[in-house]
Each structure stands twice: as C-alpha cells, then as structure tokens.
Amino acid sequence: MLEGKNVNLRVMEKEDLPLFTEWVNKPQLFFVEKKDGSKIGFIAHFHVLHLGTGSKLLEIGYSLVPSERGKGYCTEAVEIMVDYLFLSRESMRIQACTDIRNLASQKVLEKAGFKREGIMRNAFFWRGKWTEDCLYSMVREEWKEPKILTRT
Ligand SMILES: CC(C)(COP(=O)(O)OP(=O)(O)OC[C@H]1O[C@@H](n2cnc3c(N)ncnc32)[C@H](O)[C@@H]1OP(=O)(O)O)[C@@H](O)C(=O)NCCC(=O)NCCS
C-alpha cells in the first residue's frame, strides 16, 4: 500500500479484475482508492522499449471516474507514483503522453512537476483520427526528494 494524504495506491488483486476490465481492457498496476476504500480510478506504469539502445523508459498513464475528477486526486496519485518509481527503480526518467486537447491531463503533469518536451505528431490512431500528443517527462535530477512517500 502506498499511502498519500487523500488517496492510497494499492496493487490490484485477482478479485479486482472485473471492475478494472470495465474501465480499460489492458493490464495496469495500481488502483487509486480514497481513504474510505472506494475505488475511483487507476494509475499505471509500464516500460517503453527503446529499440536503438535496448534501454527501457518508464511511462505512466491514469484515469479517474468522471464524478471524482477536479479534486486533485490524480495529481496526488502521480506524485505518489513518481516518488515510488524514483525510490524503487534506477530509472533516470519518467515520461507521460497526453492528447494535445486533454488540458486536464496536461495540468496534472505540470502540477506534479513534469516538463513539456514537445509534440508527437500523428502519435496514435484514436476514434478515426491521428492524434497530436504532448510528451512530458520528469528526470531524476528534478525530483531531488520524495514529496509524499517516505524512504523506509
Ligand atoms: C486527466 C484526469 C486523470 C485528471 O484527473 P483529476 O483528478 O481531475 O486531476 P486534478 O484534479 O489533480 O487536476 C486537474 C486540473 O486540470 C484542470 N482542468 C480540468 N479540466 C480542464 C480544462 N478543460 N481546461 C483546463 N484545465 C482543466 C482542473 O481545474 C485542475 O487544475 P487545478 O487544480 O489548477 O484547478 C481526469 O480528467 C480523467 O480521468 N480524464 C479521462 C482519462 C484521461 O484523460 N486520462 C489521461 C490520459 S493521458
């Protein structure tokens, strides 16, 4: 369990799968739970294989149920995840991509301290159109120390 101020992140268990597959049908890692235990979304991290060097880049993705958006929960979940990844991995960089029209997601990343690197043109084919995506990252030198989690 990764404990934040208003939400916790916990590893998904087998019994969580039906709810999760309702939201998105691909493997992810952490539910975002409120302190009363209600599940309000998920945050995932995954590796993007960089074929040239064989190195693995860490990327995160997230989504909350509509009724719980705009309350700061996702920003806190991203901050917890960044702390967790930099504390537990040797990675030098965490990245995230978001559709250029997704202002809420861009705001989340900026509030959590990510820097915008540029635009990925024709990034994904989504609902019949190629998207323009913003690429964001945080590098280890910018992170410095945990915001929410503690080193134990
Ligand atoms: C993106 C998402 C996860 C954000 O979650 P959230 O808990 O609402 O995020 P937060 O409350 O921490 O922060 C959202 C910020 O965006 C702002 N925002 C929301 N909609 C906005 C809009 N249309 N234009 C500009 N800013 C907007 C909010 O005001 C808030 O900023 P503030 O704290 O300065 O007021 C949520 O909107 C979501 O689940 N969207 C659908 C899935 C998705 O897009 N996932 C990301 C894919 S990359």
Side-chain angles (χ1 to χ4, degrees):
M1 177 83 89
L2 304 178
E3 295 206 6
K5 209 160 23 129
N6 297 299
V7 296
N8 299 327
L9 308 187
R10 72 162 173 79
V11 173
M12 283 193 191
E13 305 290 352
K14 202 171 169 190
E15 58 270 27
D16 299 319
L17 283 176
L19 175 62
F20 181 67
T21 49
E22 252 178 64
W23 289 346
V24 58
N25 194 18
K26 60 185 179 191
Q28 306 288 339
L29 286 180
F30 291 98
F31 266 135
V32 180
E33 270 187 2
K34 290 209 293 192
K35 292 294 183 177
D36 65 4
S38 54
K39 300 174 186 70
I40 60 168
F42 71 87
I43 183 163
H45 65 85
F46 47 94
H47 282 118
V48 183
L49 187 61
H50 192 274
L51 289 175
T53 60
S55 75
K56 288 175 178 173
L57 303 175
L58 273 179
E59 186 163 325
I60 59 169
Y62 39 75
S63 186
L64 294 194
V65 294
S67 58
E68 297 290 353
R69 293 177 190 167
K71 300 176 184 175
Y73 293 144
C74 189
T75 302
E76 186 177 341
V78 168
E79 289 171 348
I80 297 170
M81 183 56 82
V82 165
D83 283 354
Y84 169 68
L85 291 173
F86 278 138
L87 285 169
S88 63
R89 310 292 163 96
E90 290 181 353
S91 295
M92 297 301 287
R93 164 193 174 87
I94 301 169
Q95 68 180 41
C97 303
T98 181
D99 191 299
I100 195 166
R101 294 163 296 181
N102 193 341
L103 300 179
S105 182
Q106 290 163 52
K107 194 82 186 283
V108 163
L109 293 168
E110 285 162 14
K111 283 194 296 178
F114 280 66
K115 292 221 164 76
R116 187 175 173 125
E117 294 188 331
I119 304 298
M120 297 159 62
R121 296 172 296 162
N122 289 353
F124 300 103
F125 196 67
W126 174 248
R127 295 185 176 164
K129 285 189 184 154
W130 286 97
T131 64
E132 307 264 279
D133 270 38
C134 309
L135 176 63
Y136 280 83
S137 72
M138 186 186 299
V139 295
R140 186 174 282 278
E141 296 89 316
E142 290 160 350
W143 173 68
K144 292 192 179 68
E145 60 180 20
K147 268 189 175 166
I148 295 181
L149 296 185
T150 46
R151 294 173 199 270
T152 49

